[in-house]
């Protein structure tokens, strides 16, 4: 197991390197540059600004500079935010995105898991149809519809919760509830469906029948055996999904005016803020790798048939 | 499959019998079972109607999807002039735009999902079954692509090729297929691989190996049918995901271009006016929901029908 | 059944959290007057020499005061300047400064202005907006690195006396001197902290408010500067500027009461908001025009008849009033009405015709130019991906396609910044675009169509006569004569139709009626020092 971890860790480094390289060149393949503005600046100034970011050099030299900075732990300055470094922007935005994303995922795992299991156990009952109906509805409504509706109803009409923003930069439960719900709804729906499907699969399989035959109680069979096997596909899904949620989502951050990195990142990509985009890609990639590793370890713990070589 | 029933008959004989099952009869059985499922049949009929309307409706409806009626801007639904779902902010008939949007969204959903299904299932099953170095390499590739944020991938693909496709609607939509399809197969591959690893330890696969069946055949014959349950469910999740992904592109202004439309774009436009023109949100919103419900019931029906464990 | 138990537990937990959550947000200190202002974008910089956006101007102008500043109605009034004199030839201006201090007590000196202007023009500063101060003698050369900063026509004649020499007469100089590019910066602070001088812990200001904190993508918080020269007349103690890019989100926050003011709202909802929030909705003409540019160097738009026909065939009334509905004003000229030093503008000579007549005339013109069933007119119209422009595109296409069955237009949406790059490089056939004036003077629009404007003259319009008139107008000090010359030039240009003026922009705002002192104005500048809150 320990050897497996070390090996996965060693593999992660070249993986990250490939990702950085791929992202770097893809980003540069996009037309335009961060300094193509609506109002042009004098050519001499533009050249100077580009030179200060090494944009005047051949692309492989720029790549070299970027890697050199990375090795020193320097993500570079933002090309758009003149007073800020990429590290500053991530430091400010990540806690907000991660709190919202993490809470949403937690909520989704709890509720999705419970709903899915109930639906599976009571397959084809009224409860099952209700859960699946809710789930399909949850998946088919985009967050840019649920977000404004929640904000309007609870913020504007009822005045129960803030319709957006933070409390002077502080995250409070009230300020995060609506964005977390908006983000969690489709995840609850997806997880409920995945849980139900794999649970049904497991309940039909012969090792559960065996367990029943052995005279184990319903409870032990469900929680001791069925659940354990049923969460496997869930683990595959939840690992990367969590990483994606932690790094923020444009829609929720925009609709609720939250200072996360998801919006920063999308706007960065649209405006070619190369360094900001690269910074978030690296962060995202590192999280994904970590969560995938976690998912695989969980897989091993839950399923004794998986062997770590 | 008999090997799964766990009785005491000799395993080899069981395996032999199982391998004799021909694909044809297998699918015939499945079809019979599928048609016994009322929800699935009703959904298929409804989806059939929806598809038919989406494909042929715009040709026969009294209005064209891009005709602007200047004196009929933002009309609520009424029977006057056959605008029975109202008109949009431009003064275009919402019903025919809805059909156009369905056509585009269904196309994006089906094509991108099929692409992701084929690549994802084969990739995941192969990696999971063969394991070892190949698994390592294949999943590393998936990891690398996975670790690229979806938005990054799609935005970059869209902006790189957008200029080339600007003003060419067919190419533009194709680009959306490719951009979304290129991302969606990854989850599929991971799920299938995970299932395959679990399956690999099972008796019937070991039996097939012992019987000298070639690896490719094992993957196609035994692994793929056995992972179909979760896969079909995932497909019914992928189609909405793809349709929603397209709507996200509309949200950031990189989606289908005017005067064409998609369900996601219609919903996005409607969401902006939900208080002043609620019908522009409800009409495409409900349509999207109904369509996805259909996919859902069909998916469930299919899973029950082709589930090898029931055979 | 244990699942039931689990669910009821979870529901209970959530309910408990929700109840405990009903504690309100941190209330404002009742002893302070605090304004919550929605500001449409995240500042890319708060350094007056590095900024370039109107939303940055809103904050910077609350912190810094130039030689001139704006009154509540947005008109130039003296700021740091007490008195000034102009030489006979209008090329030399001398300013006497008032007795003002930076927020650390150091006096504001004429040398701070010299330092500031040399700083923005120093190519090392990498200021994107430096070209705005090019009317100052040698500014362009200094900015290009061809002359040292000491050659710049700005001199400190004493601690409180400043001389500015110009390249050419600029009748709009007082207006220009309200702009942040011309501001003084505290030399002693900038020299000590370098580029970090703008951080909250280092900054010193000469305006009514001082930077307190800046949370990226959330808000900029400024607090009263007690050393501001007019501090006794400043009502509000603190301002929060929220960077809310989505105007639907901002609108909800105004309705909820979290924001007192927002400098935008979704235009289509104007009628709705007027009903929902009586007294909040503010719409006023702005210094901006949306116009399409023809690429006049390429067929088919090298033919004036085709350009005029297409311009005539667009139903601007319908597009602005029914489709976009943002209060935009249909445009038949490039220069928006109400702009400074231009009382009576030009107008396209066909503007008074009915739309039906225009459409018929357009068809005639196209036939005259050789188009018809055998020679269809086909072209691609490109438009920006942002703002109201995508909403207008289908109507534009429909208007053109309905001139005749043989007119066939395709539309292509291009990312806004790429589209502007294409416009400058001439890589388009017909494309939308827009211009918002840098300062309140008609010449800031009309220079766009001069031959020497190069890439900024998107349609590559070149008319020697136009250039000559504009050149003369730039030197004319008699404002009446100057306005007349500019009007003749604009009329000439409109007749040639290198551009299709579509609509004049408006500034929109939601202002809670409890906020007093908000005066709608054409430059859309509402300095917080003039605002107050009454309960």
């Amino acid at each position: 197991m320990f050897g497996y971890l070390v090996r996965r860790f060693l593999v992660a480094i070249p993986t990250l390197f490939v990702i950085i390289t791929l992202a770097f060149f893809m980003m540069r393949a996009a037309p335009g540059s961060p300094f193509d503005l609506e109002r042009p600046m004098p050519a001499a100034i533009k050249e100077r600004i580009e030179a200060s970011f090494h944009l005047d050099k051949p692309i492989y030299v720029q790549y070299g500079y970027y890697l050199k900075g990375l090795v020193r732990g320097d993500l570079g300055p933002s090309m758009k935010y003149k007073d800020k470094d990429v590290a500053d922007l991530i430091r400010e935005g990540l806690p907000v995105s991660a709190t919202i994303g993490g809470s949403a995922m937690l909520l989704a795992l709890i509720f999705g898991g419970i709903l899915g299991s109930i639906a599976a156990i009571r397959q084809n009952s009224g409860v099952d149809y209700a859960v699946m109906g809710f789930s399909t509805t949850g998946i088919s409504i985009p967050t840019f519809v649920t977000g404004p509706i929640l904000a309007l109803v609870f913020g504007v009409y009822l005045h129960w919760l803030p319709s957006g923003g933070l409390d002077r930069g502080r995250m409070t439960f009230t300020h995060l509830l609506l964005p977390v719900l908006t983000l969690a709804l489709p995840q609850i729906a997806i997880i409920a469906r995945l849980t139900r499907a794999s649970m049904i699969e497991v309940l039909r399989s012969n090792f559960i029948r065996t367990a029943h035959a052995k005279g184990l109680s319903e409870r032990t069979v469900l929680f001791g055996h069925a659940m354990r096997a049923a969460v496997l596909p869930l683990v595959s899904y939840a690992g990367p999904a969590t990483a994606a949620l932690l790094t923020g989502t444009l829609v929720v951050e925009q609709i609720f005016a939250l200072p996360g990195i998801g919006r920063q990142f999308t706007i960065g990509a649209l405006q070619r803020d190369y360094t900001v985009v690269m910074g978030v890609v690296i962060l995202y990639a590192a999280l994904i790798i970590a969560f995938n590793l976690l998912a695989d370890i969980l897989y091993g713990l839950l399923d004794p048939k998986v062997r770590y070589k | 499959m008999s090997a799964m029933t766990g009785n005491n008959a000799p395993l080899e004989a069981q395996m032999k019998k199982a391998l004799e099952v021909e694909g044809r009869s297998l699918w015939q059985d499945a079809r019979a079972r599928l048609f016994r499922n009322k929800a699935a049949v009703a959904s298929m009929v409804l989806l059939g109607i929806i598809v038919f309307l989406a494909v042929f409706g715009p040709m026969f409806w009294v209005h064209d999807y891009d005709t602007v009626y200047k004196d009929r801007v933002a009309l609520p639904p009424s029977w006057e002039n056959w605008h029975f779902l109202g008109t949009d902010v431009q003064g275009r008939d919402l019903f025919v735009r809805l059909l156009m949007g369905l056509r585009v969204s269904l196309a994006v959903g089906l094509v991108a999902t099929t692409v992701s299904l084929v690549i994802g299932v084969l990739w995941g099953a192969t990696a999971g079954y063969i394991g070892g170095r190949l698994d390592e390499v294949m999943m590393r590739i998936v990891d690398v692509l996975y670790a690229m944020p979806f938005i990054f991938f799609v935005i970059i693909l869209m902006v790189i090729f957008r200029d080339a496709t600007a003003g060419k609607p067919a190419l533009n939509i194709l680009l959306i297929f490719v951009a979304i399809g290129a991302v969606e197969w990854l989850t599929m591959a991971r799920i299938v691989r995970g299932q395959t690893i679990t399956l690999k330890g099972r008796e019937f696969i070991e039996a097939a190996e012992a019987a000298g069946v070639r690896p490719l055949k094992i993957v196609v014959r035994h692994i793929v049918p056995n992972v179909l349950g979760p896969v079909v469910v995932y497909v019914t999740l992928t189609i909405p995901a793809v349709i929603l992904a397209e709507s996200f592109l509309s949200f950031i202004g990189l989606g289908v271009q005017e005067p064409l439309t998609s369900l996601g774009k219609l919903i996005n436009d409607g969401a902006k006016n939900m208080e002043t023109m609620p019908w522009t949100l409800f009409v495409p919103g409900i349509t999207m929901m109904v369509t996805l419900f259909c996919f859902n019931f069909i998916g469930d029906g299919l899973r029950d029908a082709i589930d090898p464990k029931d055979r | 059944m244990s699942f039931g138990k689990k669910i009821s537990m979870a529901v209970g937990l959530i309910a408990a959290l929700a109840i405990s959550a009903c504690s309100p947000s941190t209330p404002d200190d009742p002893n302070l007057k605090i304004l919550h202002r929605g500001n449409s974008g995240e500042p890319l910089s708060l350094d007056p020499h590095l900024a370039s956006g109107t939303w940055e101007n809103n904050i910077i102008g609350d912190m810094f005061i130039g030689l001139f500043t704006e009154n509540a109605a947005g008109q130039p009034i003296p700021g740091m300047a007490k008195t000034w004199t102009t030489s006979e030839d209008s090329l030399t201006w001398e300013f006497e400064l008032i007795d003002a201090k930076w927020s650390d007590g150091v006096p504001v000196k004429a040398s701070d202005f010299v330092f500031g202007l040399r700083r923005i023009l120093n190519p090392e500063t990498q200021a994107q907006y430096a070209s705005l101060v090019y009317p100052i003698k040698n500014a362009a050369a200094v900015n290009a690195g061809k002359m040292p900063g000491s050659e710049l026509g700005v001199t400190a004649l004493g601690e409180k006396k400043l001389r500015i020499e110009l390249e050419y007469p600029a009748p709009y100089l007082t207006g220009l001197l309200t702009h942040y590019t011309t501001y003084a910066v505290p030399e002693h602070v900038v020299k000590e902290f370098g580029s970090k001088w703008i951080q909250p812990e280092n900054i010193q200001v000469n305006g009514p408010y001082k930077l307190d904190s800046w949370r990226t993508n959330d808000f900029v918080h400024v607090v009263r500067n007690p050393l501001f020269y007019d501090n006794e007349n400043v009502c509000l103690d603190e301002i929060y500027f929220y960077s809310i890019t989505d105007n639907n989100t901002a609108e909800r926050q105004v309705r909820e009461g979290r924001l007192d003011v927002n400098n935008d709202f979704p235009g289509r909802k104007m009628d709705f908001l007027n009903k929902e929030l009586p007294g909040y909705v503010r719409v006023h003409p702005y210094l901006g025009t949306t116009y399409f540019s023809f690429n006049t160097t390429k067929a088919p738009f090298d033919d004036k008849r085709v350009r005029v026909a297409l311009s005539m065939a667009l139903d601007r009334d319908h597009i602005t009033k029914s489709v976009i509905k943002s209060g935009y004003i249909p445009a038949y000229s490039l220069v928006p009405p109400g702009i400074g030093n231009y009382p009576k503008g030009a107008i396209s000579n066909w503007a008074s015709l009915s739309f039906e007549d225009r459409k018929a005339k357009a068809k005639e013109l196209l036939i005259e130019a050789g188009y018809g069933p055998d020679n269809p007119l086909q072209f691609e119209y490109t438009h920006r991906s942002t703002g109201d422009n995508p909403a207008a595109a289908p109507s534009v296409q429909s208007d053109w396609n309905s001139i005749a069955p043989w007119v066939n237009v395709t539309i292509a949406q291009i990312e806004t910044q790429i589209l502007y790059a294409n416009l400058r490089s001439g890589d388009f056939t017909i494309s939308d675009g827009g211009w918002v004036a840098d300062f309140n003077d008609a010449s800031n629009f009309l220079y766009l169509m001069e031959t020497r404007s190069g890439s900024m003259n998107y349609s590559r319009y070149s008319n020697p006569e136009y250039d000559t008139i504009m050149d003369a107008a730039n030197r004319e000090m008699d404002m009446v004569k100057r306005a007349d010359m500019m009007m003749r030039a604009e009329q000439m240009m409109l007749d040639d139709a290198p551009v299709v003026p579509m609509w004049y922009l408006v500034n929109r705002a939601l202002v809670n009626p409890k906020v007093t002192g908000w005066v709608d104005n054409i430059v859309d500048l509402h300095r917080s020092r003039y605002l107050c809150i009454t309960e």
Side-chain angles (χ1 to χ4, degrees):
Chain A
M1 182 72 186
F2 179 74
Y4 172 78
L5 278 182
V6 169
R7 220 161 48 85
R8 282 292 293 259
F9 188 75
L10 288 179
V11 170
I13 294 171
T15 307
L16 208 54
F17 173 77
V18 173
I19 291 164
I20 292 168
T21 310
L22 203 62
F24 185 90
F25 287 98
M26 272 181 79
M27 189 72 229
R28 298 307 168 94
S33 100
F35 307 108
D36 282 334
L37 306 172
E38 283 185 31
R39 316 226 148 180
M41 50 187 124
I45 300 293
K46 189 175 176 190
E47 276 163 26
R48 218 171 254 269
I49 293 178
E50 289 181 342
S52 71
F53 290 103
H54 307 301
L55 293 183
D56 53 337
K57 308 254 178 13
I59 180 112
Y60 58 89
V61 179
Q62 295 179 37
Y63 175 65
Y65 274 114
Y66 189 75
L67 284 187
K68 221 165 97 188
L70 272 188
V71 170
R72 288 195 312 262
D74 181 9
L75 292 169
S78 161
M79 297 194 175
K80 287 278 182 183
Y81 295 88
K82 299 176 196 82
D83 306 335
K84 314 233 168 174
D85 283 342
V86 175
D88 294 337
L89 294 172
I90 291 180
R91 206 176 300 123
E92 284 187 88
L94 183 61
V96 178
S97 295
T99 307
I100 298 168
S103 315
M105 201 61 203
L106 201 65
L107 211 62
L109 283 173
I110 295 172
F111 280 87
I114 294 173
L115 289 177
S117 307
I118 295 176
I121 293 164
R122 302 272 181 82
Q123 201 191 350
N124 298 328
S125 72
V127 184
D128 183 21
Y129 291 135
V131 168
M132 283 302 98
F134 161 78
S135 161
T136 310
T137 314
I139 296 170
S140 54
I141 306 180
T143 44
F144 57 74
V145 175
T146 39
I149 289 180
L150 288 177
L152 269 179
V153 172
F154 293 103
V156 178
Y157 300 157
L158 297 173
H159 282 277
W160 287 0
L161 292 164
S163 70
L166 294 179
D167 180 17
R168 310 275 163 80
R170 279 188 316 118
M171 291 184 275
T172 69
F173 184 87
T174 17
H175 287 81
L176 296 189
L177 190 55
L178 291 183
V180 167
L181 275 182
T182 308
L183 204 54
L185 266 169
Q187 297 299 331
I188 294 177
I190 291 173
I191 288 173
R193 297 206 50 157
L194 284 176
T195 311
R196 177 181 177 273
S198 77
M199 194 81 168
I200 289 176
E201 202 94 345
V202 170
L203 287 175
R204 283 184 195 162
S205 66
N206 60 339
F207 85 95
I208 292 295
R209 287 179 207 176
T210 314
H212 275 298
K214 274 197 273 179
L216 295 173
S217 75
E218 178 80 18
R219 219 189 149 96
T220 321
V221 172
L222 278 179
F223 293 104
H225 298 73
M227 275 289 223
R228 243 175 92 143
V231 294
L232 287 178
L234 211 62
V235 168
S236 283
Y237 171 77
T242 307
L245 288 191
L246 290 182
T247 43
T249 55
L250 167 84
V251 178
V252 167
E253 287 170 18
Q254 179 159 320
I255 284 166
F256 291 100
L258 297 168
I261 46 172
R263 185 158 54 132
Q264 192 85 55
F265 170 68
T266 311
I267 294 171
L270 289 174
Q271 299 188 342
R272 320 284 188 268
D273 194 339
Y274 298 145
T275 43
V276 166
V277 173
M278 286 303 297
V280 181
V281 168
I282 292 171
L283 175 74
Y284 181 93
L287 276 174
I288 286 270
I289 291 173
F291 275 91
N292 269 340
L293 179 57
L294 209 64
D296 284 356
I297 292 172
L298 268 179
Y299 234 103
L301 293 179
L302 292 164
D303 188 344
K305 293 221 177 72
V306 178
R307 296 170 292 259
Y308 294 110
K309 284 172 262 172
Chain B
M1 201 170 278
S2 48
M4 297 292 293
T5 58
N7 67 23
N8 295 326
L11 198 68
E12 243 172 88
Q14 293 268 344
M15 230 17 253
K16 217 177 152 203
K17 205 175 134 205
L19 291 172
E20 277 164 10
V21 176
E22 279 301 312
R24 242 182 98 103
S25 65
L26 192 150
W27 292 105
Q28 272 170 348
D29 277 4
R31 205 168 64 189
R33 265 194 298 270
L34 182 61
F35 281 116
R36 278 200 298 273
N37 183 328
K38 285 195 193 96
V41 172
S43 295
M44 280 191 284
V45 172
L46 190 55
L47 192 65
I49 295 172
I50 290 176
V51 170
F52 180 83
L53 280 175
V55 174
F56 298 104
M59 299 176 199
F60 299 111
W61 186 238
V62 288
H63 303 293
D64 273 335
Y65 76 98
D66 57 353
T67 303
V68 171
Y69 299 100
K70 284 187 182 176
D71 49 343
R72 301 181 203 160
V73 165
L75 291 181
S78 82
W79 286 105
E80 211 175 315
N81 294 317
W82 292 95
H83 296 302
F84 80 104
L85 293 179
T87 61
D88 68 0
V89 298
Q90 308 276 347
R92 295 176 294 196
D93 181 60
L94 206 54
F95 178 64
V96 70
R97 293 202 55 79
L98 181 73
L99 297 183
M100 255 343 254
L102 262 173
R103 191 193 273 184
V104 170
S105 285
L106 287 174
V108 172
L110 289 175
V111 175
T113 303
T114 309
V115 169
S116 76
L117 180 71
V118 171
I119 307 177
V121 168
L122 286 179
W123 194 278
T126 308
Y129 177 70
I130 295 180
R133 182 115 313 183
L134 185 73
D135 178 32
E136 189 87 354
V137 171
M138 285 176 89
M139 291 328 279
R140 206 56 50 214
I141 293 171
V142 171
D143 280 353
V144 166
L145 295 176
Y146 219 124
M148 293 281 188
F150 161 78
I151 320 169
F152 174 80
F153 227 112
V154 177
I155 289 179
I156 300 300
L157 281 179
M158 290 298 289
V159 296
I160 291 177
F161 297 105
R162 214 172 138 79
D163 267 4
T165 67
K168 300 181 190 73
L171 273 180
N172 187 266
I173 294 176
L174 188 71
L175 178 58
I176 296 174
F177 292 155
V178 173
I180 297 177
V183 183
E184 286 291 336
W185 67 272
L186 300 170
T187 310
M188 190 80 80
R190 281 196 67 89
I191 289 185
V192 172
R193 172 180 174 268
Q195 290 279 310
T196 309
I197 291 177
T198 337
L199 281 177
K200 207 161 70 166
R202 297 268 166 90
E203 303 84 341
F204 69 98
I205 299 287
E206 279 167 5
E209 279 168 352
V213 182
R214 278 182 299 124
L216 182 70
K217 203 167 175 188
I218 292 183
V219 167
V220 174
R221 263 298 187 46
H222 301 286
I223 305 280
V224 171
N226 274 289
V227 298
L228 271 187
V231 164
V232 166
V233 176
Y234 192 74
V235 164
T236 62
L237 293 171
T238 305
I239 293 177
V242 167
I243 292 176
L244 287 173
E246 192 281 325
S247 77
F248 174 78
L249 288 180
S250 296
F251 182 80
I252 58 173
L254 291 176
V256 180
Q257 296 204 357
E258 289 278 0
L260 271 182
T261 190
S262 67
L263 275 187
K265 187 165 156 52
L266 288 170
I267 292 177
N268 188 29
D269 292 346
K272 286 185 198 144
N273 300 315
M274 61 170 77
E275 284 178 286
T276 47
M277 298 165 66
W279 68 92
T280 58
L281 174 61
F282 288 133
V283 166
I286 291 170
T287 309
M288 172 109 106
M289 228 183 282
V290 169
T291 312
L292 299 190
F293 262 98
C294 290
F295 276 116
N296 184 20
F297 285 126
I298 296 172
D300 281 0
L302 270 177
R303 195 208 38 233
D304 292 345
I306 58 183
D307 195 332
K309 287 168 200 87
D310 276 357
R311 272 200 300 277
Chain C
M1 183 78 204
S2 61
F3 278 117
K5 245 192 236 165
K6 264 202 169 169
I7 286 196
S8 49
M9 261 176 64
V11 169
L13 189 72
I14 295 288
L17 286 170
I19 291 162
S20 69
C22 284
S23 56
S25 330
T26 315
D28 288 336
D29 184 336
N31 300 318
L32 295 175
K33 284 198 186 279
I34 300 178
L35 185 73
H36 298 276
R37 273 184 90 152
N39 197 17
S40 49
E42 168 65 16
L44 298 178
S45 175
L46 290 177
D47 187 327
H49 296 156
L50 297 180
S52 57
T54 51
W55 61 95
E56 290 159 350
N57 189 353
N58 290 338
I59 305 172
I60 291 171
D62 268 2
M63 298 200 292
F64 297 95
I65 300 280
L67 284 168
F68 285 78
T69 183
E70 304 87 4
N71 63 11
Q75 291 148 341
I77 55 164
M80 290 291 118
K82 183 158 67 184
T83 56
W84 62 96
T85 55
T86 313
S87 68
E88 193 75 7
D89 60 0
S90 305
L91 289 176
T92 308
W93 296 54
E94 283 185 15
F95 301 87
E96 188 79 40
L97 304 190
I98 60 166
D99 194 20
K101 287 189 172 64
W102 294 104
S103 45
D104 55 358
V106 176
V108 178
K109 297 187 284 276
S111 59
D112 287 326
F113 278 94
V114 177
F115 175 74
L117 285 163
R118 284 185 188 167
R119 179 170 181 259
I120 191 171
L121 288 166
N122 183 344
E124 297 288 339
T125 309
Q126 302 181 355
Q128 300 176 5
Y129 226 19
S131 56
L132 217 58
V133 298
Y134 280 7
I136 296 175
K137 191 174 164 197
N138 296 337
V142 171
N143 197 213
K146 290 180 190 139
M147 268 189 199
S150 53
E151 293 291 312
L152 185 68
V154 182
T155 331
L157 302 173
E159 187 170 314
K160 292 286 179 187
K161 206 162 161 57
L162 181 74
R163 176 196 287 159
I164 296 181
E165 293 161 273
L166 302 181
E167 284 283 345
Y168 45 86
Y172 47 82
L173 188 69
T174 54
L176 187 60
L177 290 175
T178 64
H179 196 266
Y180 53 82
T181 46
T182 68
Y183 289 178
V185 290
E187 184 175 1
H188 59 292
V189 181
V190 177
K191 283 199 167 141
E192 184 178 348
F193 297 105
S195 64
K196 297 271 174 214
W197 80 278
I198 200 68
Q199 299 301 332
E201 57 274 21
N202 306 329
I203 192 172
Q204 300 302 339
V205 301
N206 66 342
Y209 296 96
K210 186 169 177 240
L211 183 63
D212 178 72
S213 59
W214 176 6
R215 295 183 55 90
T216 314
N217 283 323
D218 197 357
F219 60 78
V220 174
H221 179 211
V222 298
V223 298
R224 182 189 286 274
N225 166 21
L227 293 183
F228 174 58
Y229 66 89
D230 196 23
N231 183 41
E232 66 261 34
N233 290 320
V234 175
C235 167
L236 297 168
D237 297 294
E238 297 183 13
I239 322 289
Y240 284 87
F241 289 94
Y242 295 91
S243 327
I244 303 181
T245 43
D246 183 325
N247 59 12
N248 281 291
T249 300
E251 171 227 309
R252 283 194 293 272
Q253 297 203 14
V254 172
R255 285 165 69 186
E256 187 203 336
R258 280 172 62 82
L259 292 180
D260 300 312
V261 172
N262 189 59
N263 61 342
D264 193 13
F265 63 81
R268 278 201 62 81
K269 288 194 191 162
M270 196 156 76
D271 300 336
F272 172 78
L273 289 171
N274 261 321
K275 249 180 271 157
E276 196 76 8
L277 298 172
Y280 278 66
V281 176
R282 307 290 192 111
V283 177
H284 192 272
Y286 188 44
L287 288 178
T289 307
T290 291
Y291 64 95
F292 302 167
S293 296
F294 291 110
N295 189 337
T296 60
T297 62
K298 283 194 268 190
F301 301 127
D302 51 353
D303 187 331
K304 177 179 152 185
R305 290 167 299 191
V306 179
R307 299 197 300 260
V308 173
L310 292 183
S311 187
M312 285 169 95
L314 290 176
D315 193 349
R316 296 162 179 79
D317 277 303
H318 173 75
I319 293 173
T320 54
K321 296 199 174 86
S322 302
V323 179
I324 306 182
K325 278 184 120 172
S326 299
Y328 293 150
I329 304 152
Y332 299 95
S333 73
L334 183 63
V335 186
I339 199 164
N341 309 324
Y342 198 55
K344 192 165 142 302
I347 188 166
S348 297
N349 52 24
W350 43 263
S352 55
L353 298 182
S354 79
F355 181 62
E356 288 312 311
D357 290 350
R358 273 154 49 191
K359 222 162 126 176
K361 188 93 194 351
K363 191 173 175 184
E364 278 173 36
L365 278 171
L366 288 182
I367 292 171
E368 201 183 306
Y371 294 96
D374 305 329
N375 183 20
L377 175 63
Q378 284 173 328
F379 61 91
E380 181 181 82
Y381 160 66
T382 47
H383 68 87
R384 289 170 285 177
S385 58
T386 48
D388 294 309
N389 309 299
S395 288
V396 167
Q397 182 192 34
S398 161
D399 274 347
W400 280 334
N401 280 344
S402 64
I403 298 174
W406 36 265
V407 178
N408 192 350
V409 185
T410 52
I411 32 184
Q413 175 174 306
I414 309 268
E415 281 179 281
T416 300
Q417 63 173 341
I418 303 287
L419 181 130
Y420 275 108
N422 290 349
L423 278 170
R424 287 196 291 270
S425 65
D427 182 16
F428 68 100
T429 44
I430 175 165
S431 172
D432 89 339
W435 183 251
V436 173
D438 299 310
F439 51 93
N440 191 0
D441 188 86
S443 64
N444 192 245
F445 271 94
L446 292 172
Y447 95 94
L448 292 173
M449 308 311 294
E450 291 177 33
T451 308
R452 62 178 174 147
S453 292
S455 63
M456 289 306 291
N457 181 345
Y458 305 141
S459 51
R460 304 293 185 270
Y461 176 63
S462 181
N463 181 339
E465 211 178 333
Y466 180 90
D467 296 344
T468 317
I469 303 178
M470 283 308 296
D471 203 41
N474 282 338
R475 293 165 195 287
E476 180 58 62
M477 283 309 282
D478 181 330
M479 299 308 266
V480 178
K481 274 194 201 156
R482 179 171 175 267
D484 191 57
M485 290 160 93
M486 290 196 293
M487 196 184 91
R488 269 198 292 136
E490 189 183 7
Q491 190 65 56
M492 186 183 303
M493 183 274 292
L494 290 174
D495 293 345
D496 286 338
V499 293
V500 183
M502 286 302 291
W503 57 77
Y504 308 119
L505 299 177
V506 288
N507 58 62
R508 302 186 282 244
L510 292 175
V511 182
N512 191 316
K514 75 177 185 189
V515 176
T516 56
W518 184 282
V519 181
D520 292 321
N521 62 61
I522 193 164
V523 287
D524 197 21
L525 289 175
H526 310 275
R527 300 306 184 196
S528 302
R529 62 187 274 214
Y530 305 118
L531 304 180
C532 196
I533 296 183
T534 53
E535 289 305 334

